[in-house]
């Protein structure tokens, strides 16, 4: 998957490739250090370039998984994931997530990444996309709501970040694909 449609000059969206492991490893450290709005902290992502390469391999081998990356020229600036269920009963449901470096937010890149995930999900026959978003992350909530994700509930005090309990909002979107 590769696209430059409706992106600012120099921006490209594409699936992660094994050869991206070094740059995506470094990108991940920066992304997770910029904000507390991610479930993982900087030390909880891939611990090495080799581990990042293994993660990319896993995504490539799983028919309902995608690691979609956003690039400005030759540098990664964002990523989005869809991870489809691997069991018979949940194989039409997927967890999604998106992250963009702070310097590149506000230009529609997060939306383009989410649209790319949805395009992939439809092609993979997925029916339900779900995510959680921290209650303090109002910008992300507005993005998901504008893309027709519906709030399904609140996970009260589900996270503990820097000495404070944080709620997560559970959201999902149903697609027209999947079995009927």
């Amino acid at each position: 998957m590769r696209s430059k449609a409706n992106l600012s000059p120099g921006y490209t969206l594409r699936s992660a490739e094994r050869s991206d492991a070094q740059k995506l490893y470094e990108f991940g450290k920066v992304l997770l250090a910029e904000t507390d709005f991610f479930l993982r902290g900087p030390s909880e992502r891939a611990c090495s370039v080799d581990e990042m390469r293994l993660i990319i391999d896993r995504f490539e081998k799983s028919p309902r998984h995608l690691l979609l990356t956003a690039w400005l020229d030759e540098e990664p600036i964002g990523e989005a994931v869809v991870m489809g269920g691997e069991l018979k009963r949940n194989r039409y449901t997927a967890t999604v997530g998106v992250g963009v470096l702070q310097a590149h937010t506000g230009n529609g890149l997060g939306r383009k990444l989410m649209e790319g995930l949805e395009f992939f999900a439809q092609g993979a026959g997925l029916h339900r996309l779900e995510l959680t978003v921290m209650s303090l992350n109002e910008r992300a909530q507005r993005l998901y709501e504008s893309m027709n994700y519906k709030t399904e509930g609140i996970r009260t005090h589900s996270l503990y970040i820097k000495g404070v309990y944080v709620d997560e909002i559970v959201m999902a979107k149903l697609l027209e694909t999947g079995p009927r």
Side-chain angles (χ1 to χ4, degrees):
M1 169 181 247
R2 185 179 291 268
S3 174
K4 289 189 177 195
N6 299 319
L7 293 172
S8 299
Y11 288 100
T12 303
L13 299 184
R14 64 173 175 78
S15 301
E17 300 169 357
R18 290 189 101 237
S19 60
D20 298 330
Q22 176 72 46
K23 287 187 175 185
L24 290 177
Y25 170 70
E26 298 297 331
F27 157 81
K29 290 192 300 186
V30 174
L31 178 70
L32 296 180
E34 283 188 336
T35 179
D36 290 324
F37 286 147
F38 294 104
L39 178 61
R40 296 179 191 274
S43 65
E44 298 170 317
R45 190 174 152 111
C47 296
S48 67
V49 174
D50 287 338
E51 187 176 345
M52 188 71 230
R53 193 171 293 111
L54 290 173
I55 291 167
I56 293 168
D57 288 346
R58 179 171 182 248
F59 273 86
E60 286 180 344
K61 292 175 184 169
S62 299
R64 288 180 297 278
H65 283 44
L66 174 67
L67 175 52
L68 182 62
T69 55
W71 298 77
L72 176 57
D73 300 320
E74 299 299 318
E75 296 302 317
I77 57 165
E79 70 179 12
V81 298
V82 58
M83 296 176 290
E86 297 181 7
L87 304 174
K88 190 172 187 177
R89 293 182 177 180
N90 75 346
R91 68 177 168 224
Y92 300 106
T93 297
T95 300
V96 297
V98 63
V100 176
L101 292 176
Q102 293 293 316
H104 300 278
T105 61
N107 63 6
L109 191 55
R111 176 177 299 279
K112 290 294 180 194
L113 284 163
M114 289 295 290
E115 288 171 352
L117 293 184
E118 288 185 22
F119 180 80
F120 170 83
Q122 290 168 344
L126 296 168
H127 179 66
R128 175 186 165 89
L129 301 180
E130 56 190 27
L131 58 87
T132 62
V133 58
M134 291 181 200
S135 60
L136 301 173
N137 192 349
E138 295 175 359
R139 185 179 199 169
Q141 289 174 51
R142 285 191 304 273
L143 169 63
Y144 302 139
E145 288 167 354
S146 75
M147 298 187 74
N148 297 315
Y149 281 77
K150 304 297 181 208
T151 297
E152 295 187 330
I154 306 289
R155 294 173 59 187
T156 305
H157 289 195
S158 62
L159 303 174
Y160 190 72
I161 303 170
K162 294 184 177 174
V164 177
Y165 285 102
V166 177
D167 298 345
E168 285 180 290
I169 299 170
V170 178
M171 303 181 82
K173 178 176 183 173
L174 300 180
L175 305 175
E176 295 297 320
T177 50
R180 297 277 166 211

